[in-house]
């Protein structure tokens, strides 16, 4: 007979889940897909022993996956986009342009600023990382920079753009869950975002101030790129198209399709030997660089639909796990006592942020890290007189920005796979994600920038 899930049982399950994931991924370095599936299997058999039906279990899995059908399709398109952007010379052209424009002494902070602007314009952290992010990582590698530090700057800027752009899915989701107006939500987030941005910029300036450029190595890389790729100003057309689509508020899927089509046309114009079968192979398996420079080959051999399959598998696995935890009320039951005993504003904001971080750790999915705390704490925010804008900001600061720091998280695994830098390597340098919740918590306890409802 099915029994009601208690608080203690929920806590034990979540601690066991986190322990298995943490030990597997962090201590033993196992790819997160298998530990997530193992934990999901434990939840499935536990649910059956507790009296839940197979239909309940299947419904939980389906409800969890349903959240990310559109993002999964976007990931597939991004894989194809990376491949054609390399073949078409877009990413190599950005690299060459970057070599000439970006200061070697202040390379890391300039990467952070430029990628932040791009991220803000297009509203997609994933696209920022997988396009201009790859290009800047290649420049940094040629300069002998710390790749983990550069990846931290790229991911920080991607998170900033994803957080502050009106085109961002996570920004719209946080606003919708808290029932706040979108542009008022973005404006209110500046109280925690601007200090986090400036703090990150200062840290990147201090740590990225190398003052040394190996011109010989850079010139060799530029020569390799010029010899093997079509480097020209025309290569910036797909980037221009992306900005136009963002300005027109065209959704991600038609934007990516349009960009892939435009870049494909450019490839056929540039390469008379390109055929439909070769294009199909490029889109499916990605671009394989065959230059005389091993470093360029390593950086630009990537992309393709198949390159995203590991990420898609992880998304499906983590969302299935999240759906099961929600279906059986495990997370809701664990959060229930917290919701009832938070009369003070600072404590309420602190626990809401910690809940978002916890859900990222337990489930690895940024949408759920916004939805679950939003639903759980909305009444508590209303009770103490806080405006919905206060809740929507907290959901961003504790939910969506943290997912990039979780090795088994959807965003974290995507960034690691795309940049080729492990999450645990760039985590200490992803200053924007680390500082955002801190400034949000300080706002809760000091009252600075806190939005109250008008009675």
């Amino acid at each position: 007979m099915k029994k009601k899930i208690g608080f203690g049982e929920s806590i034990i399950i979540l601690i066991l889940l986190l322990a298995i994931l943490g030990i597997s991924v962090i201590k033993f370095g196992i790819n997160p897909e298998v530990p997530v599936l193992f934990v999901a299997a434990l939840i499935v058999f536990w649910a059956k022993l507790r009296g839940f039906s197979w239909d309940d279990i299947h419904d939980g899995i389906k409800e969890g996956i349903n959240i990310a059908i559109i993002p999964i399709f976007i990931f597939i398109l991004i894989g194809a986009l990376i491949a054609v952007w390399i073949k078409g010379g877009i990413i190599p052209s950005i690299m060459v342009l970057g070599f000439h424009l970006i200061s070697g002494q202040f390379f890391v902070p300039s990467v952070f600023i430029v990628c932040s602007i791009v991220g803000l314009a297009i509203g997609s952290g994933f696209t920022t990382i997988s396009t201009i992010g790859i290009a800047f990582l290649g420049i940094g590698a040629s300069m002998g920079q710390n790749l983990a530090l550069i990846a931290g700057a790229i991911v920080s800027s991607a998170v900033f753009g994803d957080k502050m752009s009106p085109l961002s899915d996570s920004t719209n989701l946080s606003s919708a869950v808290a029932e706040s107006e979108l542009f008022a939500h973005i404006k209110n987030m500046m109280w925690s975002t601007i200090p986090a941005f400036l703090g990150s910029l200062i840290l990147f300036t201090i740590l990225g101030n190398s003052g040394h450029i190996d011109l010989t190595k850079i010139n060799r890389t530029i020569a390799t790129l010029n010899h093997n790729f079509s480097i020209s100003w025309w290569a910036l057309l797909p980037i221009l198209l992306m900005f136009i689509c963002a300005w027109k508020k065209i959704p991600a899927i038609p934007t990516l399709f349009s960009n892939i089509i435009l870049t494909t046309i450019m490839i056929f114009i540039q390469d008379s030997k390109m055929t439909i079968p070769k294009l199909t192979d490029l889109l499916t398996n990605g671009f394989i660089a065959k230059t005389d420079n091993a470093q360029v080959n390593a950086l630009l051999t990537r992309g393709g639909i198949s390159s995203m399959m590991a990420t898609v598998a992880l998304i499906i696995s983590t969302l299935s796990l999240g759906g099961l935890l929600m279906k059986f009320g495990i997370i809701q039951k664990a959060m229930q006592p917290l919701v009832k005993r938070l009369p003070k504003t600072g404590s309420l904001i602190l626990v809401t942020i910690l809940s978002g971080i916890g859900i990222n750790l337990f489930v690895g999915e940024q949408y759920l890290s916004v939805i679950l705390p939003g639903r759980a704490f909305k009444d508590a925010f209303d009770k103490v007189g806080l405006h919905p804008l206060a809740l929507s900001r907290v959901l961003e600061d504790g939910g969506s920005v943290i997912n990039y720091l979780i090795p088994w998280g959807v965003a974290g695994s995507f960034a690691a796979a795309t940049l080729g830098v492990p999450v645990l390597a760039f985590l200490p340098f992803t200053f924007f994600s680390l500082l955002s919740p801190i400034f949000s918590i300080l706002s809760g306890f000091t009252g600075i920038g806190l939005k109250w409802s008008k009675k």
Side-chain angles (χ1 to χ4, degrees), residues 214-236:
D214 185 351
L215 290 177
T216 303
K217 192 173 183 180
I218 289 177
N219 289 333
R220 190 184 308 123
T221 302
I222 292 175
T224 300
L225 293 172
N226 278 313
H227 180 71
N228 291 276
F229 298 93
S230 177
I231 308 297
S232 68
W233 287 100
W234 290 107
L236 299 180

Side-chain angles (χ1 to χ4, degrees), residues 71 74 118-128 157-176 182-183 185-186 189 246 249-252 366-367 370 396 400-401 404:
I74 289 173
V118 172
L120 188 63
I122 64 179
S124 170
F126 289 170
T127 305
T128 302
S157 59
V159 174
F160 168 79
D162 211 11
K163 180 182 180 185
M164 296 300 291
S165 174
L167 303 176
S168 166
D169 288 345
S170 63
T171 303
N172 281 273
L173 177 64
S174 298
S175 175
L182 175 61
F183 288 97
H185 163 59
I186 293 173
M189 282 197 294
K249 299 183 179 180
I250 298 173
Q366 66 180 143
Y367 289 170
V370 170
E396 290 263 22
S400 56
V401 305
Y404 287 84

Side-chain angles (χ1 to χ4, degrees), residues 109-122 128 132 153-154 156-162 197 432:
S110 57
V111 166
F112 176 60
I113 292 172
V114 172
C115 288
S116 293
I117 295 171
V118 172
L120 188 63
I122 64 179
T128 302
I132 193 170
I154 294 168
S156 288
S157 59
V159 174
F160 168 79
D162 211 11
F197 183 89
F432 186 79

Side-chain angles (χ1 to χ4, degrees), residues 79 81-96 99 129-139 141-142 221-231 282 285-304 307 417-420:
L81 180 69
I82 293 172
V84 294
W85 266 35
I86 296 175
K87 173 64 178 176
I90 288 80
I91 289 177
S93 293
I94 295 173
M95 291 176 66
V96 172
F99 278 127
I129 290 170
S130 60
T131 53
I132 193 170
I134 293 176
F136 281 134
L137 190 75
I139 295 172
S142 296
T221 302
I222 292 175
T224 300
L225 293 172
N226 278 313
H227 180 71
N228 291 276
F229 298 93
S230 177
I231 308 297
L282 174 69
N285 299 312
F287 182 83
I288 300 175
K290 298 177 181 178
T291 72
D292 57 359
N293 188 316
Q295 191 172 63
V296 171
N297 292 343
L299 287 168
L300 297 183
T301 298
R302 61 183 67 221
S307 70
T418 302
L419 297 174

Side-chain angles (χ1 to χ4, degrees), residues 87 104 143 155 192 228 436 448:
K87 173 64 178 176
M143 294 172 61
V155 174
S192 61
N228 291 276
S436 289
I448 298 173

